[in-house]
Amino acid sequence: MRDRIKVGIIGAGGYGGCGAIELIYGHPHAEIRVLIDKQDVGVPISEIYPHLTGFCDMPIMAPGDPDIPEDLDVVLFATPDGVGQKEAGQWLEKGVKVIDYSGDFRFNDLETYKGYAARIGRTPEHASPQLLPQTAYGLAELHREEIQSTNLLGNPGCFAVSCILGLSPAVKEKIIEAETIICDSKSGVSGAGKAPKPTFHYPARYENMNAYKITGHQHVYEIERELSLLAGAAVRVTFTPHVVPLSRGILTTIYARLKKGQDLKKVRDVYLAFYEKNLFVRVFGPDKPQASVNVRGSNFCNISLSVDERTGMLIAVSVIDNLMKGQAGSAVQNMNIMFGRDESMGLLRPGNFP
Amino acid sequence: MRDRIKVGIIGAGGYGGCGAIELIYGHPHAEIRVLIDKQDVGVPISEIYPHLTGFCDMPIMAPGDPDIPEDLDVVLFATPDGVGQKEAGQWLEKGVKVIDYSGDFRFNDLETYKGYAARIGRTPEHASPQLLPQTAYGLAELHREEIQSTNLLGNPGCFAVSCILGLSPAVKEKIIEAETIICDSKSGVSGAGKAPKPTFHYPARYENMNAYKITGHQHVYEIERELSLLAGAAVRVTFTPHVVPLSRGILTTIYARLKKGQDLKKVRDVYLAFYEKNLFVRVFGPDKPQASVNVRGSNFCNISLSVDERTGMLIAVSVIDNLMKGQAGSAVQNMNIMFGRDESMGLLRPGNFP
Amino acid sequence: MRDRIKVGIIGAGGYGGCGAIELIYGHPHAEIRVLIDKQDVGVPISEIYPHLTGFCDMPIMAPGDPDIPEDLDVVLFATPDGVGQKEAGQWLEKGVKVIDYSGDFRFNDLETYKGYAARIGRTPEHASPQLLPQTAYGLAELHREEIQSTNLLGNPGCFAVSCILGLSPAVKEKIIEAETIICDSKSGVSGAGKAPKPTFHYPARYENMNAYKITGHQHVYEIERELSLLAGAAVRVTFTPHVVPLSRGILTTIYARLKKGQDLKKVRDVYLAFYEKNLFVRVFGPDKPQASVNVRGSNFCNISLSVDERTGMLIAVSVIDNLMKGQAGSAVQNMNIMFGRDESMGLLRPGNFP
Amino acid sequence: MRDRIKVGIIGAGGYGGCGAIELIYGHPHAEIRVLIDKQDVGVPISEIYPHLTGFCDMPIMAPGDPDIPEDLDVVLFATPDGVGQKEAGQWLEKGVKVIDYSGDFRFNDLETYKGYAARIGRTPEHASPQLLPQTAYGLAELHREEIQSTNLLGNPGCFAVSCILGLSPAVKEKIIEAETIICDSKSGVSGAGKAPKPTFHYPARYENMNAYKITGHQHVYEIERELSLLAGAAVRVTFTPHVVPLSRGILTTIYARLKKGQDLKKVRDVYLAFYEKNLFVRVFGPDKPQASVNVRGSNFCNISLSVDERTGMLIAVSVIDNLMKGQAGSAVQNMNIMFGRDESMGLLRPGNFP
């Protein structure tokens, strides 16, 4: 049996860290060696997340603590934008692979990063521009080979995963008019992370929904980059995120005008062929509209396809669990690939219902 | 002081009946005279809806009960499709005005009704086709004068209200490419009514969202009819309803390509002018994205307008309370108009927050 | 017609201020003249609470702003502990009546206040001890006459309202063993106010419940004081508050051993007699177990009574809306009494369902 | 390696069946061989529960279908009261062990069963009274040895698990006055099963809580039986179940008067000693009040202990996931014991948060 992958998690106290701990606990070839965070130093993670009691009780260590073990194979930066780009280099130098959850390493050219950075109110400077060319974008269904050979990976944005997977076959095979693409995404609240805010205060959120960052959400950059690569030409999308009163789940309703001669059967064949060898994407027809609960707690992206014959539009509904395929699940899937393991290791479990 | 409007409610035991009772209780010029339903005959309405205890304790009467008072001014059919079309005639003959919540009287031509009926699995026959020409469509912002002079009104569908109000100014003033319209609607569960169903069982719904009736929802008929009237030409829309875990609220995100030369300022002016004399529609810019809770419990439709300069799309977000402006609120507004009262009577109250 | 009561609200930006604004908007004999808060000065209240748009758009004024109108009749301190005790005096001197939501004026002796203060981590000093003797405790069902004649009122704690009303008849008429009383209270989240906290962050709260401040909640002081007054002897209660994933509502399950000779019929008669002239308390038998939704949005306290014949226990379930009878509703009820109006003015409205 | 335990599930289409499938999928020593139900015969279970797609796609078989495999080791009756008692015998005769979720085999004497049956509106006759003496009550923490040697097991009621585990040490060690015990239980909705009902319709439940079956819930029989066995004397408890708007979770707040001389330290020692060798019960002090989310998705029962020194009461808060330790989790734990496996096999996984 091969050695277990030794994992460190930076930003372990957030939801993204918690999700990785849950998954790696059940992973047969990986183990957590250290949890690092600026906050709650010294506190066992199971005091922060009591459901981990008995499963992972490691205390949080401060960044730079000399007792952080040296023999890690990979670190996950489950941190906000700006952390990974400062610290990834020092890990890479020690031969430790890096998976970053933020946008710091999603773009391998500085120019696109600048646009992204502006949207989230960051300065256009990247702390490690020299690392960008070697990054891989961590959407295995599109970049499996690059992920296999990289040491530095930018894990994709949660909305981006649902939009890109829902559109890739259609864009690649040019069955839609690319300039008509609209992505209307609905997300649970956990995507916004652990920090309490007025708009996510229970009484303000429980019976409430709204669009936000209309025309201005940063994930549109990676969506357009990926679709443009597939199309071989610049693709622009209209993307509107919404927040609805759930904890977990993203449902994106995708609209695009079908090219002449297309129909539901052909569309479906295109999608099925595209995802044939991709375990975690499942394609359904209009008879099986997909609900977010179908993938809650699991790493799947389910896509149901419909064609509105009256208007000639393709309507694809793509659902993921934003904390799984949209975050920690993708991170583990990418880790598996980076270390030559079966891609699905530690991820083959259904969620719980109800 | 003028006489109070004497109201009867048929189908009083459903959510639509309940909403009307709540509103008419606080209406200075109207009073409930009788509650009629096939179910729960003899049971006080306050046993069905205990929050009405002390406010309305009338027992339910059976349809056709000889003790139903004769002196009604108006009956609300808060009933599913198929009831009003059978029974409205006999009330009209007695000089009682009729407001029907269902699709029975939303279409004044039989042909459109047939299309609508097919979508909800009904036979194409209408029980009272001779009444259709005299109906008014109960969206006051578009049909105030017809409502004023009719005795028979089809109250609009909840989704339709949010879509039509969100699009009317743009369609009327031809500032958008009409063939690009997409309405992505998210609704709370109460829109589906009071009858329990597996998909609305609390454990199956609390952390779940889904699209449904993709390409097949019946409200598209009235949306297209109204928009076509405004445009003076046939308009087709792509409409996708979703259900999300709220009780009350519809949020529709509307997408349409702006015509050349349009910008946010012009769009906003068009909307403001269109709704200038309409108290219950409020127009906002992108700095005030509207949340469904803003109109929960009230009769308002709030619309926030954005323009995506990258893609040239208008993005209008329209929110209503589906049980108020989407149902009982519109019914009372229509009743006020039909009886020459101030349109807002009994409706000027904020909801409760949080 | 008498003059309208001119109301100022201090701490207007919190949930307690919002609730008062909603109620006074619909009050035929009262009007809001000024909204005061330390935060959001200059901001229209309808930007903080968008559902108030068009109903109350007054901007927030800073405490001490010289433009605060002089001619107020009453100020509501919808503020946390410690504010009213510092500022009430200056209003009283100007002839303005004061209703304080916090515990500052719930105790007319300093000694009890000290115990209360210790529980909430405050120093034992009261800023205005000289005012304490003139305060009334704002539970109209028990102190109507004192409320009528006071200028300074301590509005009761939300949990306390549900516990005291659920127990008063039994304690007064000595039908239970007073030393066996247990109050198990379940509350929605809005009782904790508007400030976001980790434990009330939507993802952390939506599918979660817990007891808190076990053996240490401050409301037990007013519960015991009131019950002791009724009993004519010291009464101690075991009180455990819980928070459950609702926004509004308190349900308290009360347990106490019945004295010999008592039965359900006698118990019910005692409760019915006690509350005979109290519109806002309604008594039910075991055939009508009361749900919190029955009083959501209204000022009622519903109590359902059961007797466990196997164990000899009285089980009384008491439900209120914590923001109505538990806070702003009681404040308006008290204001009505203080100004000689009908107690129910502005409060006779059902909530909305569903 | 030993053979895998071959499991059949009867009533597979309900929540209890679904939970067992989820657990057994991840169980290293067990496998599902057949799913049986009266409803949805022929339908793959993953159409009923789409989250199981790819994990368990077996079609439902009808009871009595001749193709049901013969070589089962155990059947789980995830069925309502009345099914197991009719059908268990035929499985036992074939040498198949039986675990029944309902109350059919929780009582090994007919007399107690009759009382239980009356409470749920069943006739007092038991279809297989001759089997009762050989049953074991499936609460491993109290009956591990009996479970080890039985072929017929009555899985405990969900409320009962939380009450009994929260009280057993105190009752056994006689540190409380047994006649003062009160169990105030709050449950999520999933405990009521999969069938939609008006009271669990999302709009009627989302912002609502209530007590139900006050003084009349059937689980009190097994609670009292178990506590009486531990006490060596008849124990009666006052038990009140509530339903709150969660899907999963039971939180029981237990009250009992401590005997003289007891204090928190002693109480805690008693609990710690009692559960020393029981992995799935964890004892905490008042500094760690337990929330239901701490055990959501896992098989643990967490108990936090407090003593109210003012009133002399023990307050124990006991939380479980009603579908895990309260149902399918206990069933798998019992199965493990019955087949000589490690009790925790397939159960050592944390839930997901948030």
Coordinates of all heavy atoms in Angstrom, one line a residue, chain D residues 165-195:
Chain D
L165 N -31.4 7.7 27.7 CA -29.9 7.9 27.9 C -29.6 9.1 28.8 O -28.7 9.1 29.5 CB -29.3 8.0 26.5 CG -29.2 6.8 25.6 CD1 -28.6 7.1 24.3 CD2 -28.5 5.6 26.3
G166 N -30.5 10.1 28.7 CA -30.3 11.3 29.5 C -30.6 11.0 31.0 O -30.2 11.8 31.9
L167 N -31.3 10.0 31.3 CA -31.7 9.7 32.7 C -31.1 8.5 33.3 O -31.1 8.4 34.6 CB -33.3 9.6 32.7 CG -34.0 10.9 32.8 CD1 -35.5 10.7 32.4 CD2 -34.0 11.5 34.2
S168 N -30.7 7.5 32.6 CA -30.3 6.2 33.1 C -29.3 6.3 34.3 O -29.5 5.7 35.3 CB -29.7 5.3 32.0 OG -30.8 4.9 31.1
P169 N -28.2 7.0 34.1 CA -27.3 7.0 35.2 C -27.9 7.6 36.5 O -27.7 7.0 37.6 CB -26.1 8.0 34.7 CG -26.3 7.9 33.2 CD -27.7 7.8 33.0
A170 N -28.6 8.7 36.4 CA -29.2 9.3 37.6 C -30.2 8.3 38.2 O -30.3 8.3 39.5 CB -29.9 10.6 37.2
V171 N -31.0 7.6 37.4 CA -32.0 6.7 38.0 C -31.3 5.5 38.6 O -31.7 5.1 39.7 CB -33.0 6.3 36.9 CG1 -33.9 5.2 37.3 CG2 -33.9 7.5 36.5
K172 N -30.4 5.0 37.9 CA -29.7 3.8 38.3 C -29.0 4.0 39.7 O -29.1 3.2 40.6 CB -28.7 3.3 37.3 CG -27.8 2.2 37.7 CD -28.5 0.9 37.4 CE -27.8 -0.4 37.9 NZ -26.4 -0.4 37.6
E173 N -28.3 5.2 39.8 CA -27.6 5.5 41.0 C -28.4 6.2 42.0 O -27.9 6.6 43.0 CB -26.3 6.3 40.6 CG -25.4 5.5 39.6 CD -25.0 4.1 40.1 OE1 -24.9 3.9 41.3 OE2 -24.7 3.3 39.2
K174 N -29.7 6.4 41.7 CA -30.6 6.9 42.7 C -30.2 8.3 43.2 O -30.3 8.6 44.4 CB -30.9 5.9 43.8 CG -31.4 4.6 43.3 CD -31.8 3.7 44.5 CE -32.1 2.3 44.1 NZ -33.0 2.2 42.9
I175 N -29.7 9.1 42.4 CA -29.3 10.5 42.8 C -30.4 11.5 42.6 O -30.2 12.7 43.0 CB -28.0 10.9 42.1 CG1 -28.2 11.0 40.6 CG2 -26.8 10.0 42.4 CD1 -27.0 11.5 39.8
I176 N -31.5 11.1 42.0 CA -32.6 12.0 41.9 C -33.9 11.4 42.5 O -34.0 10.2 42.7 CB -32.9 12.3 40.4 CG1 -33.1 11.0 39.6 CG2 -31.8 13.1 39.8 CD1 -33.5 11.2 38.1
E177 N -34.8 12.3 42.8 CA -36.1 11.9 43.2 C -36.9 11.4 42.0 O -37.3 12.2 41.2 CB -36.9 13.1 43.9 CG -36.1 13.8 45.0 CD -36.1 13.0 46.3 OE1 -36.7 11.9 46.4 OE2 -35.4 13.5 47.2
A178 N -37.1 10.1 41.9 CA -37.6 9.6 40.6 C -39.0 10.1 40.3 O -39.4 10.2 39.1 CB -37.6 8.1 40.7
E179 N -39.8 10.5 41.3 CA -41.2 11.0 41.0 C -41.2 12.4 40.5 O -42.3 12.9 40.2 CB -42.0 10.8 42.3 CG -41.7 11.7 43.4 CD -40.6 11.3 44.3 OE1 -39.9 10.3 43.9 OE2 -40.4 11.9 45.3
T180 N -40.1 13.0 40.3 CA -40.1 14.4 39.8 C -39.6 14.6 38.4 O -39.4 15.7 37.9 CB -39.2 15.3 40.7 OG1 -37.8 14.9 40.6 CG2 -39.6 15.2 42.2
I181 N -39.4 13.4 37.7 CA -38.8 13.5 36.4 C -39.8 14.1 35.4 O -40.9 13.7 35.2 CB -38.4 12.1 35.9 CG1 -37.3 11.5 36.9 CG2 -37.9 12.1 34.5 CD1 -37.0 10.1 36.6
I182 N -39.2 15.1 34.6 CA -39.9 15.7 33.5 C -39.0 15.6 32.3 O -37.8 16.0 32.4 CB -40.3 17.1 33.8 CG1 -41.4 17.1 34.8 CG2 -40.7 17.9 32.5 CD1 -41.7 18.5 35.4
C183 N -39.5 15.2 31.2 CA -38.8 15.1 29.9 C -39.5 16.1 28.9 O -40.6 15.7 28.5 CB -38.7 13.7 29.3 SG -37.8 12.6 30.3
D184 N -38.9 17.1 28.6 CA -39.4 18.1 27.6 C -38.6 17.9 26.3 O -37.5 18.4 26.2 CB -39.4 19.5 28.1 CG -40.1 20.5 27.3 OD1 -39.5 20.9 26.2 OD2 -41.2 20.9 27.6
S185 N -39.2 17.2 25.3 CA -38.5 16.9 24.1 C -38.9 17.8 22.9 O -40.1 18.0 22.7 CB -38.8 15.4 23.7 OG -38.2 14.5 24.6
K186 N -37.9 18.2 22.2 CA -38.2 19.0 21.0 C -37.6 18.2 19.8 O -36.5 17.8 19.8 CB -37.4 20.3 21.0 CG -37.8 21.2 22.2 CD -36.9 21.0 23.4 CE -37.3 21.9 24.5 NZ -36.8 21.4 25.9
S187 N -38.4 18.0 18.8 CA -38.0 17.1 17.7 C -38.2 17.9 16.3 O -39.1 18.7 16.1 CB -38.9 15.9 17.6 OG -38.5 15.1 16.5
G188 N -37.3 17.5 15.4 CA -37.4 17.9 14.0 C -38.5 17.1 13.4 O -39.1 16.2 14.0
V189 N -38.9 17.5 12.2 CA -40.1 16.9 11.5 C -39.8 15.5 10.9 O -40.8 14.8 10.8 CB -40.5 17.9 10.4 CG1 -41.7 17.4 9.7 CG2 -40.8 19.3 11.0
S190 N -38.6 15.2 10.6 CA -38.4 13.9 10.0 C -38.8 12.8 10.8 O -39.1 11.7 10.3 CB -36.9 13.8 9.6 OG -36.1 13.7 10.7
G191 N -38.9 13.0 12.1 CA -39.3 11.9 13.0 C -40.7 11.4 12.7 O -41.1 10.3 13.0
A192 N -41.5 12.3 12.0 CA -42.9 11.9 11.7 C -43.0 11.2 10.4 O -44.1 10.8 9.9 CB -43.8 13.2 11.6
G193 N -41.8 11.0 9.7 CA -41.8 10.2 8.5 C -42.1 11.0 7.3 O -42.1 12.2 7.3
K194 N -42.2 10.2 6.2 CA -42.2 10.7 4.9 C -43.5 11.2 4.3 O -43.6 12.0 3.4 CB -41.6 9.6 4.0 CG -41.4 9.9 2.5 CD -41.0 8.6 1.8 CE -41.2 8.6 0.4 NZ -41.0 7.3 -0.2
A195 N -44.6 10.7 4.9 CA -45.9 11.0 4.4 C -46.3 12.5 4.7 O -46.3 12.9 5.8 CB -47.0 10.1 5.0

